[in-house]
Amino acid sequence: MQNIFIVGSKGIPGSYGGYETFVDKLTEYHQNDPAVKYHVACAVDNAQEAGEFTYHNAHCFKILRKQIGPAQAIFYDLDALKYCVDYIRKNNISNPIVYVLACRIGPFFNKYVKQIHSLGGKVYVNPDGHEWMRAKWPAPVRKYWKVSEQFMVKHADLLVCDSKNIEKYIHTAYEKYHPETTFIAYGAETRKSALADDDPKLTDWYKAKGLAPREYYLVVGRFVPENNYETMIREFMKSHTRKSFALITNVSDKFLEELKQKTGFHKDPRIKFVGTVYDTELLMKIRENAYGYFHGHEVGGTNPSLLEALGSTKLNLLLDVGFNKEVAEDSALYWNKTEGNLAALIDQADGMRQEEIDEFDRLSTERIRQAYSWEFICGRYMDLFVNGNNGE
C-alpha cells in the first residue's frame, strides 16, 4: 500500500475551492482501492476541534490554523508537514509520498524535504498558478511568493503541474534547477444537474434575482481585478444584447465601488450581481441554463470554474490567453481586451443559430470528458502514485 500525505488544502469534506474539491474527488475515487492510503491535513480554527477522523477511507488529521493574519497559511502548511514527518516516523511508514499543494513555504521547505528523504520518502509539489502575479497582494508579499516558488521548485522531487503552460513556465524560469515535472490537469464533472427545470430551489432563485433560463450570460469566479471584471462589464454595456449579465461572486465593497466609478454599471439594469451560490446542484443548473458563459481569468493554471463551464454551459466566451486556449481548444469563442472586441462577440453570440450553439456544446462537453473528467484525472494520479509513472 502506498501512503500519500496531502498538505496545503483547507481539508475535506467541504466545498471551499479548487484544491479542496481536488482532494475530495481524489479520495472519493480511490476510497475502495487497497493500493493507496491517503492522509489529509485539515485546517481548524479552534484548538478544541483537534483530532483525527476518517472520510472516504482517508485518514484526516486536524491542524490548528493560527490566527496571525496573511501568514497563517504558511504556518498551517509547516505545522501539517511537521505532523506528517512525526507520523511517518512513529508508524514506520516505508516509501511515503508527501504531496504539497501550492508554493507557500519555500524558505523553510528544504529542511522538511531532507527529513522526509531520510525516512525514505519523496516530496511532490503542485505549483498552482502564478500567485506572485496576483494584483491583490502588495509588492513585498508578491516578492515572497516568487522567492517561495523558486525554493520549492529547486527542492521538490517532482512538480505536478495542472496546466501545460505552467509546466512550460517552470522549465523556462527555473532551467538551472533541471526540475522534474509532469502534467496532470484539474478535473470536472460531465454529468447534468440533479435539479429539474421546475424545482422550486431553481425557480425561486430565478425569481429572486430577476433572471430567466437562456436569457442571461454568466460569470462565476473570485472578485479580483485579474479576472477582468471591468473589461467584461464595460464591454457588456457596449453590446446590444437584451439578455442579462449575472455575476456569481463574493463581492468586495472596495472593488465594487471602484468598478461602479469606472463603468457606471449600476445604471445598466442588465447587469446583476447575484451573490454567491454554494449549492453544487443549483450552481450546475444555473450554468446549464445560461445562454453563454464569460471567462476572464488570465493568471493561474487550469481554472476549475472554466472546466465546470465547459462541462455545463452550451456557449463559452473566453479571454484569449494560453491557459484558456489550452483547455478549451476549438470548443469556445475567444475575446481580447481591445476596446469593442468582446462587445462585438456578444452581439455575434446573440445572433448564432441553435445548431451552431449545440455544436459548441457538444465539443466542449467532449473536451472535458476526454481530458478533464475526474475519473480520468484520478486515474492519472493513481498511475503516478502507485506505478511512479510521471510520463504523459
Side-chain angles (χ1 to χ4, degrees):
M1 180 183 283
Q2 178 65 61
N3 285 270
I4 315 290
F5 293 79
I6 299 180
V7 169
S9 80
K10 295 183 183 75
I12 49 176
S15 54
Y16 297 92
Y19 277 144
E20 290 72 37
T21 303
F22 160 67
V23 179
D24 201 308
K25 292 295 179 184
L26 195 65
T27 53
E28 177 192 339
Y29 275 81
H30 296 163
Q31 61 185 318
N32 297 318
D33 196 317
V36 287
K37 177 68 178 178
Y38 288 105
H39 308 262
V40 181
C42 300
V44 292
D45 294 319
N46 189 321
Q48 275 79 48
E49 296 177 56
E52 302 178 0
F53 64 98
T54 300
Y55 174 75
H56 285 162
N57 274 342
H59 160 227
C60 301
F61 53 95
K62 297 177 182 177
I63 299 292
L64 180 65
R65 187 165 43 186
K66 299 181 175 83
Q67 300 305 304
I68 48 173
Q72 69 171 15
I74 296 167
F75 286 93
Y76 165 61
D77 284 359
L78 291 174
D79 288 342
L81 267 183
K82 285 176 195 167
Y83 178 98
C84 292
V85 170
D86 289 344
Y87 188 93
I88 291 164
R89 189 177 282 129
K90 282 178 193 167
N91 293 278
N92 294 316
I93 291 173
S94 58
N95 308 312
I97 293 171
V98 178
Y99 189 19
V100 182
L101 308 175
C103 292
R104 290 184 284 254
I105 53 172
F108 319 95
F109 188 51
N110 193 33
K111 169 187 168 184
Y112 292 97
V113 172
K114 284 178 176 173
Q115 289 177 4
I116 292 160
H117 283 174
S118 73
L119 295 167
K122 290 180 180 175
V123 184
Y124 296 171
V125 169
N126 185 307
D128 198 11
H130 299 319
E131 191 66 34
W132 49 272
M133 284 174 64
R134 296 194 191 279
K136 68 174 181 175
W137 299 118
V141 176
R142 287 209 292 271
K143 187 170 183 182
Y144 173 83
W145 289 136
K146 181 64 175 158
V147 169
S148 184
E149 177 185 88
Q150 177 186 337
F151 282 124
M152 293 190 75
V153 170
K154 180 179 180 181
H155 296 298
D157 294 306
L158 178 72
L159 293 132
V160 184
C161 307
D162 70 9
S163 155
K164 287 179 181 172
N165 276 269
I166 288 286
E167 185 177 31
K168 185 179 175 185
Y169 155 76
I170 293 288
H171 283 286
T172 304
Y174 302 109
E175 186 183 7
K176 62 184 177 184
Y177 299 138
H178 307 291
E180 183 83 17
T181 66
T182 189
F183 162 67
I184 306 180
Y186 189 82
E189 299 283 4
T190 52
R191 68 176 179 84
K192 294 300 179 190
S193 169
L195 288 189
D197 290 334
D198 60 354
D199 191 299
K201 195 183 282 186
L202 178 69
T203 55
D204 290 353
W205 188 86
Y206 279 142
K207 191 175 178 182
K209 307 303 179 184
L211 296 169
R214 308 290 297 144
E215 289 300 321
Y216 59 93
Y217 287 87
L218 178 68
V219 69
V220 181
R222 288 190 305 163
F223 195 53
V224 290
E226 63 264 22
N227 289 350
N228 287 296
Y229 282 94
E230 184 184 338
T231 300
M232 291 187 289
I233 289 169
R234 196 186 294 281
E235 292 291 312
F236 192 89
M237 290 172 69
K238 280 183 190 158
S239 76
H240 300 98
T241 186
R242 293 182 178 181
K243 294 178 171 58
S244 298
F245 179 16
L247 299 100
I248 295 180
T249 184
N250 52 333
V251 173
S252 136
D253 291 339
K254 184 185 171 191
F255 185 35
L256 190 69
E257 190 56 39
E258 195 180 302
L259 284 178
K260 196 180 282 188
Q261 298 302 324
K262 286 182 175 177
T263 67
F265 72 80
H266 54 295
K267 297 170 190 167
D268 190 329
R270 296 173 299 172
I271 293 171
K272 303 175 192 291
F273 281 86
V274 295
T276 51
V277 177
Y278 291 114
D279 183 312
T280 306
E281 298 302 322
L282 177 58
L283 183 56
M284 192 181 279
K285 193 70 176 179
I286 293 166
R287 289 184 196 275
E288 288 170 21
N289 285 348
Y291 183 82
Y293 183 86
F294 296 133
H295 190 73
H297 292 50
E298 64 177 321
V299 175
T302 304
N303 184 268
S305 64
L306 171 58
L307 295 178
E308 286 154 7
L310 291 170
S312 297
T313 310
K314 290 177 182 291
L315 191 61
N316 292 279
L317 290 72
L318 317 181
L319 179 62
D320 191 353
V321 292
F323 297 116
N324 298 336
K325 290 201 89 162
E326 168 195 322
V327 175
E329 293 184 340
D330 61 353
S331 72
L333 300 171
Y334 293 93
W335 51 274
N336 59 49
K337 293 196 277 185
T338 306
E339 189 176 338
N341 181 270
L342 176 54
L345 191 64
I346 293 167
D347 290 341
Q348 178 193 327
D350 261 14
M352 286 175 74
R353 300 192 320 275
Q354 191 57 47
E355 307 89 80
E356 294 177 276
I357 294 172
D358 289 343
E359 179 60 11
F360 274 110
D361 185 27
R362 186 190 68 78
L363 287 170
S364 61
T365 304
E366 192 56 31
R367 177 70 182 136
I368 295 300
R369 187 175 287 117
Q370 286 184 358
Y372 295 97
S373 71
W374 279 120
E375 187 175 7
F376 175 77
I377 299 306
C378 292
R380 286 280 288 111
Y381 269 101
M382 180 64 81
D383 203 26
L384 172 64
F385 290 150
V386 175
N387 303 321
N389 182 5
N390 62 353
E392 294 177 20

